Structure formats: structure tokens, C-alpha cells
Amino acid sequence: MKAWFVALLIGGLLSLNPRAYAKDQIPKSPEPFDSVVPGYSPGNSGRVVSSTGLSDQNLNDQTVPGPLTAAPPADPELPTWGHYLTPSTSPVLSPVEYSLVGPPTGIVQHSEGQDYRAVVSDPNTLLNYDAQFGQNVNIFRPDGMAPIGVFGDHTLPTGTTFLSYRYLQNSFDQNYVGSHRTGSPTGYPYAPTSMMQNSQVALFEYGATQDFTVLAYLPFQHNAINSQSSAGNYLATFTNPGDVRIQGLLVVRRAKQSQSHVNFGISIPVGFLEQLSTGGPNPPEPSQTAPNNPYALRTSSGTYDLLMGYTYRKQTDYWTFGGQANAVIPTGKNTLDYELGNQFQLTGWASRRWTERWSTSARLDGHWNGNIRGADPRLNPTLSPVNQANAQGRQYVNGLLGVNYLLTRPEHRIREQRLFLESGVPLYQWVDGQQLGLTWTLNAGWGMAF
């Protein structure tokens, strides 16, 4: 039994491969890179030591990766942010046609029939486009509105509000008979020498629809007359609110860069007729026969008056032209048993824009004011010609020059603020009886749209 086991052990040792104990095949201590590149042996450059018994042919088919000491790849280029003085242009998007809904038209707002299609390339301009949709005359240009002395000349886009303050002054000097100058009137205890009429007007406008704009304004007036008497110079003044006016502006026709609209409304009396003014020094005591508040000083007609008018505007690239006809028709006598005469106005203007902010204007303004019907029984017509009811009518034509300046641009939140200035002199005038003649007119103001 023991002999058999020894023989088996010896035979197993003899069957071992002698190459496994060759001197050059004794494993060496691992090189530093052996842990990085498995199976790589520095003694066998270009070969991979296989632990799976692969043949030499298979070993030759496997190559060793490149040396780890090779140069690293180049760093990526730094980003270029451009130069702030020469910014890069944004890509231009191709225009797209959209289905849109236009603003309401007419007097009453309607939602039907307002859809349309339009090409929109920049959505940021859509609000400004909507504001001008249907407005054939661009009022947001410096020449887009009439000179400050014209009321109700423009309609507003839907939802737009325009507020303005206006100062209007008429100065009278020298006495006239017909169209001729005369000296101071004789035969009257009080001979008028000069007169000043000042109005400060607060004006409110609102675009109810694209075709209908509501307008309301309240004037506050200060009037004064200087007279010469045997006692010296006599000054009579009167300051009070004027009649409130409410109007509607309705578009009747639109064409290429032109528009026509009608004006209609009513003047509501404030009733400041009974009050008498005071003057000095040493004014005469007011009485039933000699009050010192003549017709020209009064700030109210005392009656409900009808307001009617028609306006036409035409615009080109640099010019805006316009014309307007107005009428004020009293509806009856007031509490003092008289009625102002009918008043008619015809005016035309041309405005030229020079920059995006500046424009200038020239205007002709014609007026025809009828005589008073009836008379205030308290006034004594023999004291002064300003007390005579049949010497209050006049006709005149003024020539005026003006300038408009935009303070802000249309793209601002408050779409527009502007300054107005206009001044002129009479080119022709004719008066009934003997009256003071008009010498010059000054109109100034400020307006804001939002």
C-alpha cells in the first residue's frame, strides 16, 4: 500500500511542465504601471501576458495602448462675447401671419366682424400697431394734432385718454367803427380803452371706440376792461368758471391718410350772470341802472347752446393739413332776458414736422359773432358802448404761427406728452357799432396721452 502511494506521487511530479520553472519565466515584482494597464509586462514589450492559456498567435493580435506620457489634448478655445460697441445682430425671424381682433368701431362697441389677418414680424410692435389700427392720421407725430387753439380736431384710438391744459388770451386795444380805427368814444361817461380776456381750460378726451371720441372741458375765465372817465382810469374785472361743454366726435369717412368726423354736443351754463364785479380805484356804486359788469366781461351765456362742427384732416410723410367749421347756436333767452348771437368759426391749418419731436404750424382762423338779441334791463346803454346789446357783433380773421414739441416718445408707457404754443394777429376785422378791436392772440398748453 505504501509502495503504491509513493510511486503515484513520483509519477505526478515527473508529469509537471519543466518550462514553468525556467529561470527567465520566474515572475518579477510588478512594475508601477501594471496596476494601471492590466496584463502589461515591461519585459515583453509589445505583448500581453495572458493568464488564460492563449496561443502565441492570439497574443500577437493584441496590441498595447499608446504610452501614457503622450501630450494632452489642446484646451478648448475661450468663448467670444463680442464688443459692446459693435454688438452682433440678432437673427431675423420670418414674418408670420396671425389672426387678430381689431378694436371696436362706431358709437356702440360690437364684437362681430372685427377679426382680420395681419403679418407680424416683431411681437413687441403689436401694441403700437393696435393703437394706430384704423387711425388713418397718426396723432402721435409732433404734427399729428392741430394747433392748441383748435378744439375737437382729432379722434383717439380705442381706450386712449388725452388730458390737456390750455391757456388762451385775447388782447383788445383801440376803438373801431366798422373796420376803421377811431379815437376814444365821446358822449359816454365811461369810454373803454383796452380789454383782456383770459381763459384757462381743462380738457378731457377719451376714445370710446375707433370711431367715437368723447370730449369735455371746463374753462375758468378772467376778464378785465379799462375805461376812461372824468374821475380817471376805471378798471372792471370779472373772474369765474365758464360754461361746461360736452361733445362727441364721430368719424364719418376714412381714406388713405385722411379722415373726416363730425362734432356735436351741448354747452351747459354755469349761471354766473347775476354777480357784479368790482374795480378801482373809486369805482361807481353798482346799481340796477349802472352795473359795472358789461356783456363782454361775463363768463357764461346763461343758456343751453348747441355745438355742431365738421373736421377734415390729411397727412403725408412730413405734413398734416386740416380744416374745421364750427357753430354755436343758443336755444333761447337766459334769466336776464337776452340771448347771445349765433357764433360761427372756420379755420384751416398746415403743420410740418422737422424731427421726431418738433413741428411748426400756420393757421388762418375766421370768426363771425352775431349781435345780442334782447338786452339786460339792468345795463344803461348810455354809460358806455360796451353796455349796448346791438354793438356786440364782430367778424375777424386771424393769422397764427405755432410750434409743437413732443416730450416723450410713443413707445413709452405714458404714450405722449407735448407742449403747444401759438400766437397771431388779426389780418382783418369788422365790428358792429363802436367797439374795442382785437390786437393779438396767444394760445399755449400742455397735453398727455395714455
Side-chain angles (χ1 to χ4, degrees):
M1 179 66 180
K2 292 181 179 179
W4 178 80
F5 178 76
V6 171
L8 181 61
L9 180 59
I10 294 172
L13 293 173
L14 294 175
S15 64
L16 294 175
N17 188 357
R19 294 180 59 187
Y21 298 95
K23 181 178 180 180
D24 58 347
Q25 295 298 321
I26 297 176
K28 298 180 181 180
S29 61
E31 295 293 334
F33 292 107
D34 289 349
S35 60
V36 180
V37 184
Y40 174 72
S41 175
N44 273 329
S45 179
R47 290 181 179 270
V48 177
V49 178
S50 174
S51 60
T52 57
L54 296 175
S55 64
D56 292 343
Q57 181 65 34
N58 292 334
L59 293 175
N60 292 333
D61 292 338
Q62 301 187 38
T63 59
V64 177
L68 296 181
T69 58
D75 293 335
E77 295 183 2
L78 293 176
T80 57
W81 305 106
H83 198 275
Y84 72 95
L85 293 178
T86 56
S88 58
T89 58
S90 302
V92 179
L93 303 177
S94 59
V96 179
E97 188 177 52
Y98 291 88
S99 295
L100 305 173
V101 177
T105 59
I107 298 180
V108 180
Q109 299 189 16
H110 298 283
S111 58
E112 298 83 7
Q114 297 301 109
D115 55 319
Y116 67 99
R117 295 186 64 82
V119 176
V120 180
S121 59
D122 184 2
N124 295 321
T125 63
L126 194 56
L127 291 178
N128 288 337
Y129 178 79
D130 283 346
Q132 283 301 316
F133 179 79
Q135 298 293 314
N136 299 62
V137 178
N138 183 2
I139 64 172
F140 298 113
R141 284 175 25 174
D143 61 323
M145 294 186 182
I148 188 68
V150 183
F151 290 81
D153 65 285
H154 58 266
T155 58
L156 297 175
T158 303
T160 302
T161 300
F162 186 75
L163 301 177
S164 63
Y165 163 81
R166 308 187 182 202
Y167 175 78
L168 314 175
Q169 183 183 92
N170 290 326
S171 178
F172 298 81
D173 197 3
Q174 299 291 332
N175 281 271
Y176 279 74
V177 173
S179 59
H180 304 286
R181 289 186 180 183
T182 63
S184 297
T186 59
Y188 296 93
Y190 296 93
T193 58
S194 65
M195 180 172 64
M196 187 76 71
Q197 293 178 336
N198 301 295
S199 297
Q200 300 185 64
V201 181
L203 182 64
F204 170 83
E205 303 173 47
Y206 178 72
T209 71
Q210 291 295 93
D211 295 333
F212 185 65
T213 296
V214 179
L215 181 150
Y217 64 91
L218 172 66
F220 192 86
Q221 296 180 237
H222 171 75
N223 301 327
I225 293 181
N226 272 304
S227 298
Q228 191 69 34
S229 68
S230 58
N233 185 60
Y234 171 64
L235 174 65
T237 62
F238 191 62
T239 302
N240 260 311
D243 294 342
V244 177
R245 293 188 175 187
I246 300 176
Q247 287 184 275
L249 314 180
L250 178 63
V251 177
V252 294
R253 185 178 183 273
R254 285 193 173 98
K256 184 178 180 181
Q257 292 187 292
S258 66
Q259 177 180 301
S260 302
H261 65 266
V262 293
N263 309 10
F264 55 90
I266 189 170
S267 176
I268 304 173
V270 297
F272 294 106
L273 290 176
E274 304 292 343
Q275 183 177 350
L276 300 178
S277 64
T278 58
N282 301 320
E285 186 69 18
S287 67
Q288 291 296 318
T289 58
N292 62 350
N293 190 17
Y295 299 108
L297 287 187
R298 300 177 183 182
T299 61
S300 174
S301 67
T303 59
Y304 289 89
D305 304 332
L306 299 179
L307 309 175
M308 297 177 290
Y310 175 82
T311 305
Y312 172 79
R313 293 176 297 151
K314 173 69 176 178
Q315 195 170 68
T316 64
D317 291 341
Y318 294 96
W319 291 86
T320 301
F321 305 92
Q324 185 181 77
N326 287 315
V328 180
I329 310 297
T331 58
K333 292 184 178 181
N334 55 35
T335 58
L336 298 180
D337 200 32
Y338 74 90
E339 176 186 28
L340 296 182
N342 297 333
Q343 302 176 36
F344 300 97
Q345 178 192 18
L346 182 63
T347 186
W349 69 91
S351 299
R352 210 283 190 187
R353 70 181 179 114
W354 303 99
T355 69
E356 293 301 317
R357 291 179 181 265
W358 285 96
S359 72
T360 54
S361 64
R363 182 165 71 99
L364 288 177
D365 185 29
H367 289 257
W368 185 87
N369 300 334
N371 264 320
I372 291 177
R373 295 182 285 270
D376 184 350
R378 305 176 307 165
L379 290 178
N380 184 353
T382 63
L383 287 179
S384 175
V386 296
N387 288 351
Q388 297 178 355
N390 61 352
Q392 303 298 320
R394 67 171 61 240
Q395 298 86 47
Y396 60 92
V397 177
N398 286 347
L400 304 102
L401 299 177
V403 60
N404 297 330
Y405 178 68
L406 287 181
L407 296 174
T408 55
R409 297 294 183 88
E411 62 268 17
H412 293 174
R413 182 178 180 272
I414 297 179
R415 294 190 58 85
E416 159 186 295
Q417 293 189 63
R418 63 171 64 204
L419 297 175
F420 304 84
L421 180 64
E422 184 185 39
S423 184
V425 296
L427 305 179
Y428 167 81
Q429 60 181 319
W430 187 92
V431 300
D432 286 334
Q434 188 169 13
Q435 298 185 50
L436 290 169
L438 181 66
T439 55
W440 65 286
T441 297
L442 174 67
N443 305 319
W446 162 88
M448 176 180 68
F450 56 93

